[in-house]
Structure formats: C-alpha cells, structure tokens
Amino acid sequence: MLVLLGSFLLLMVLGVPVAIAMASASLLYLAAYGGAPDVIVAQRMIAGVESFPLLAVPFFILAGNLMNIAGVTGRIYAFAVALVGWMRGGLAQVNIIGSVIFSGMSGTAIADAAGIGTIEIKAMKDHGYPVEVAVGVTAASATLGPIIPPSLPFVIYGMMANVSIGSLFLGGVIPGVMMTLLMMITVAVFARLRGWGSDAPFELGKIARAFVEIIVVFAFPVAVVILERLGVAQNAAIFLALGAVLLLDYLFKFSAVMALMTPIILIGGMTLGWFTPTEAAVAAVMWSLFLGLVRYRSMTLRTLAKATFDTVETTASVLFIVTAASIFAWLLTVSQAAQLLSDAILSLTQNKWVFLILVNLLMLFVGCFLDTIAAISILVPILLPIVLKLGIDPVHFGLIMTLNLMIGLLHPPLGMVLFVLSRVAKLSVERTTMAILPWLVPLFAALIAITFIPEITLWLPRYLGVMK
C-alpha cells in the first residue's frame, strides 16, 4: 500500500500529470510485488473504459463544442441580457443566467468558463466592472455546469458507483436552482454595497418576449405528454411537438428558442424516459448540427473539423485518466489499501454526519490537486462502501462529491477553472485567486445545505419515480 500511494503522491508533487502518475505508481507496485499477470492488468484497464454509460462522454463533449461554433453562446447571452440585464448589477446577473443555460449543453465547468465566460468577462469589463468582479462571478457560475444536468462527472460517478445516471441528473436540478438563487442574491448584495446600476434599459416588450420564449420551450415536453395520453405514439408525439416549436420559431423569429431547446431535449428526454443518457447525448449532437448547419448556418467544414478534433483530444484525455484510474483503484482494492483506509475512517467516527463533514474537508483538499474525473475514480471505491454502510444515499453522496470537486477547481494550486480564467482575463493567478474568494461564500452555503438536507437532492428523483 505504501509503495502504491507513496509513489503516486511523490509523482504528483513532482508535477507529473495525474494519469501518468497513477499508471506509473500502478506499474511500480506490480513490479515490486507482482500479484497479477500482465494479461489481467490489460483486462482491468480495458474494462475501465468498456462501459456503455461512458459512450455519453464523447457525445456530450462534442455537443458542447458544436454549440460553441453554432453561434448558440452569443444568442444565450443576448437572451440573458433581455431577461435580467435591467436589474442592478445586470451583467453579473446575466453572467449567472447565461451559465445556467449553457450548463445544460456543456456539462463541464471548464467548458462554461472558456465558452460563454469569455464573452461575459469582456462585456463586464466594457461596461466598467472591475476585472476582478467579472472573473469572480464567472468562476462561481461556472460550477453550475456539472451540477445542472447533463454532467460528465455524474456520468463517471454513476459508472463507478453503479448508480442510475438519470437519478443523478434529476438530483442536480434543485441544487442547481438553489445555487443559482444564492449567487443572484450575492450579486444583488454587492450591487447594493458598491452602487452598481443596471446595464440594459427596462423594456417590457423584450422581457415579455423572453418569457414567451421560455413558455414555448417548456411547452414542448408538456405537449408530448398530452399527446401521449391522447393515444399518440411517443415518437410521433415528439416529432409533432418539435414540428410545432419549429413552426412557431419560423413565424415569430424567436432569438433563443432553438438554443434553449437543447437542455429541454436533454433533461426532459431523460426525465420522461425518451432517452438513456447516451441517447440524450447523441440527440444533443444531432440538434447542435441542425442549429449550426440549418437554423443559424454558422458552421463551416473548417469549424466542424476543429470541433471534432477538440472532442477527440478531450475524450482521449478523459478516457486515459479513467483507464489509469481503473487499474489504480483495482490495486487499491486487491492490496487492501481501500479496506485499510475505510477502516481508518470508520475508526474515527460511526456518525454519518461527522463522516460527511470529514469527507467534505477531504474532497475540498483533493479537488485542489486532482482532476475531477481522476478524483472520482480514486475516491469512489474507497468511500462508497462506507457510504452504504452508514446508510447514506449514493445519489446524495454523488452530489456532495461533485460540488466539492467543482469548488476545488476554483482555487490553487491546480484549479483548472482558476487557470482558464486567469488566461482569459489576462490576470495573474494570484489576483484571480483573490477575485474568486468572495464568491466562494454562496458555494459553501449551498454545499452545507446539500450535505445536511438530503431531500434537496433526493426529492425530485423520488417524486418522478426514478428512484425509491
């Protein structure tokens, strides 16, 4: 155990990439102690990525990349300006609402920060906001990406913990809404204290049009349900309702209905049983291609190729981490390291609430150093047996783990969102860190509430009958 964990930590301290550090530590342990033929090791590594739920990963990544080049990001931003730009601290509120909508397409905090975050920071700077404020609110709102479905960390956690990914997606809806409200309240407080005004005129017509677009979008799944109850086959009901939305969009020239349809197709499709997560990811890709090639006509062969290559690169890095983590996690189990660590944790406490406090502290620390996917792959085999033994729902635990790791992305030494925004805003890492600190308050408030009130996470999937 000491060789496996010690060599991994040493390599991490030396700055070796996390996937290579895990693979090297695993090989070093096998060279020192043996314990498994080469063919078994190869089989374990292949088994780590030979999973149907993992098929959703490249499609979610591709959908996010295609949405960026389809011109959806700018339309979402314009829609958010019309909806909340008239409030005090308008562009900061726009930043949050834009991230909520974009999170339904990207599924990752980094994609959110690098995608719509680039537009938001520039707009806030142009309207006279300090660059530190723009960076802080962008960083905080970027954490919504993996909490509001779809979510790549949820896919990986669901695979590792053998938990319904649909339940995890639904479990993230209410926490996501709560985090959004806490962030908007924080912006309102800052706006009052610092005298920020609105950044767009109050135009009742634009606000009414924005609400009409929201109603049209949410009417889509309602129409499908009604048609099904009237005896129309599910596929026919979906196409009829979609055709109605397309007709309304053509007649009234809506600006954001087609963009807003993406999270509805994904979340609504999984909630109502139209799609599995993988099928929903494929549907998102097809919808993105429709928007870019037909509706907005903003895709070219060059941009499509770039989005594809970016997806291949990102997917390869994610699957490399999963492959390395699978053999590392397996060795933790066979070397009884996972059992020893579990026993050590249980020797400290048998109280589930004290355990959750300790886990929060552990994951906030781990999130500073490890990639989210790697952290989930390593920690789930160690912590899940304790979670089940203490009677903690694994869906609830998945939300706690993901939010902790998202907060970990925001602070040094290796917070990826921190470095992305530092580069986008052309700020030093030190100034970026200080800019983010005040915006951690609503995130920690949400984390405490989600940790100690399980029903925030579990009520919706139970109400909809996805879990007992």
Side-chain angles (χ1 to χ4, degrees), residues 12 17 26 147 158 166 191 203 229 243 252 262 268 294 308 425 448:
M12 288 293 297
S26 301
I147 301 300
E203 297 182 38
R229 291 184 177 179
F252 294 100
T262 307
V294 180
T308 304
I448 292 169

Side-chain angles (χ1 to χ4, degrees), residues 53-137:
L54 276 180
L55 281 176
V57 172
F59 289 111
F60 277 136
I61 295 170
L62 179 59
N65 288 335
L66 292 176
M67 282 292 169
N68 270 334
I69 67 171
V72 170
T73 305
R75 291 175 184 273
I76 289 173
Y77 183 77
F79 172 80
V81 169
L83 193 64
V84 296
W86 52 271
M87 296 180 179
R88 292 174 67 95
L91 285 185
Q93 303 283 17
V94 167
N95 195 321
I96 295 166
I97 296 299
S99 293
V100 169
I101 301 169
F102 192 70
S103 69
M105 295 172 285
S106 66
T108 65
I110 295 172
D112 194 343
I116 199 168
T118 305
I119 298 173
E120 291 165 340
I121 289 173
K122 182 180 184 303
M124 290 183 72
K125 287 167 63 179
D126 291 346
H127 279 75
Y129 287 87
V131 65
E132 287 84 357
V133 171
V135 167
V137 70

Side-chain angles (χ1 to χ4, degrees), residues 163-214:
V163 172
S164 165
I165 296 172
S167 296
L168 289 166
F169 282 5
L170 284 175
V173 173
I174 294 178
V177 171
M178 183 183 70
M179 291 170 64
T180 301
L181 293 175
L182 286 172
M183 289 181 200
M184 293 184 74
I185 291 169
T186 304
V187 169
V189 171
F190 275 114
R192 179 70 62 180
L193 293 176
R194 300 184 181 182
W196 298 340
S198 62
D199 297 296
F202 180 86
E203 297 182 38
L204 189 58
K206 286 187 176 181
I207 296 171
R209 188 175 178 84
F211 274 104
V212 168
E213 294 192 41
I214 293 173

Side-chain angles (χ1 to χ4, degrees), residues 394-409:
V395 173
H396 177 215
F397 187 73
L399 264 292
I400 294 171
M401 174 175 276
T402 302
L403 181 52
N404 271 293
L405 296 175
M406 290 308 100
I407 295 173
L409 289 174

Side-chain angles (χ1 to χ4, degrees), residues 30-372:
L30 288 169
Y33 296 102
D38 293 346
V39 65
I40 300 297
V41 174
Q43 286 175 351
R44 296 300 307 182
M45 295 178 74
I46 293 171
V49 292
E50 197 176 38
S51 168
F52 180 74
L54 276 180
L55 281 176
V57 172
F59 289 111
F60 277 136
I61 295 170
L62 179 59
N65 288 335
L66 292 176
M67 282 292 169
N68 270 334
I69 67 171
V72 170
T73 305
R75 291 175 184 273
I76 289 173
Y77 183 77
F79 172 80
V81 169
L83 193 64
V84 296
W86 52 271
M87 296 180 179
R88 292 174 67 95
L91 285 185
Q93 303 283 17
V94 167
N95 195 321
I96 295 166
I97 296 299
S99 293
V100 169
I101 301 169
F102 192 70
S103 69
M105 295 172 285
S106 66
T108 65
I110 295 172
D112 194 343
I116 199 168
T118 305
I119 298 173
E120 291 165 340
I121 289 173
K122 182 180 184 303
M124 290 183 72
K125 287 167 63 179
D126 291 346
H127 279 75
Y129 287 87
V131 65
E132 287 84 357
V133 171
V135 167
V137 70
T138 300
S141 63
T143 60
L144 293 167
I147 301 300
I148 297 177
S151 164
L152 295 185
F154 284 169
V155 173
I156 303 299
Y157 175 85
M159 181 198 70
M160 295 292 300
N162 196 26
V163 172
S164 165
I165 296 172
S167 296
L168 289 166
F169 282 5
L170 284 175
V173 173
I174 294 178
V177 171
M178 183 183 70
M179 291 170 64
T180 301
L181 293 175
L182 286 172
M183 289 181 200
M184 293 184 74
I185 291 169
T186 304
V187 169
V189 171
F190 275 114
R192 179 70 62 180
L193 293 176
R194 300 184 181 182
W196 298 340
S198 62
D199 297 296
F202 180 86
E203 297 182 38
L204 189 58
K206 286 187 176 181
I207 296 171
R209 188 175 178 84
F211 274 104
V212 168
E213 294 192 41
I214 293 173
I215 291 169
V216 169
V217 169
F218 279 98
F220 168 68
V222 174
V224 174
V225 172
I226 291 173
L227 287 170
E228 284 187 271
R229 291 184 177 179
L230 291 175
V232 180
Q234 186 183 85
N235 290 340
I238 292 171
F239 281 109
L240 283 171
L242 187 59
V245 172
L246 291 172
L247 179 62
L248 289 171
D249 182 68
Y250 175 78
L251 292 175
F252 294 100
K253 308 298 181 186
F254 292 128
S255 61
V257 162
M258 294 293 100
L260 295 172
M261 280 291 291
T262 307
I264 292 297
I265 289 173
L266 287 171
I267 303 168
M270 288 182 287
T271 303
L272 298 173
W274 306 342
F275 308 122
T276 66
T278 301
E279 292 167 345
V282 174
V285 170
M286 300 301 293
W287 186 253
S288 305
L289 288 171
F290 166 74
L291 293 183
L293 296 174
V294 180
R295 177 62 176 85
Y296 301 142
R297 298 183 182 180
S298 52
M299 284 184 187
T300 64
L301 189 60
R302 181 187 296 273
T303 57
L304 193 57
K306 183 179 184 305
T308 304
F309 283 119
D310 287 346
T311 301
V312 171
E313 181 181 350
T314 306
T315 302
S317 65
V318 170
L319 294 185
F320 182 29
I321 291 171
V322 172
T323 302
S326 65
I327 185 65
F328 187 81
W330 177 65
L331 289 175
L332 281 175
T333 302
V334 299
S335 67
Q336 295 189 326
Q339 184 62 45
L340 290 172
L341 291 170
S342 297
D343 292 342
I345 294 171
L346 286 172
S347 69
L348 294 174
T349 181
Q350 294 281 336
N351 184 291
K352 71 176 184 179
W353 303 114
V354 175
F355 167 74
L356 287 176
I357 292 171
L358 295 175
V359 164
N360 277 328
L361 295 174
L362 170 66
M363 288 189 289
L364 286 171
F365 176 76
V366 168
C368 302
F369 297 92
L370 282 184
D371 175 88
T372 302

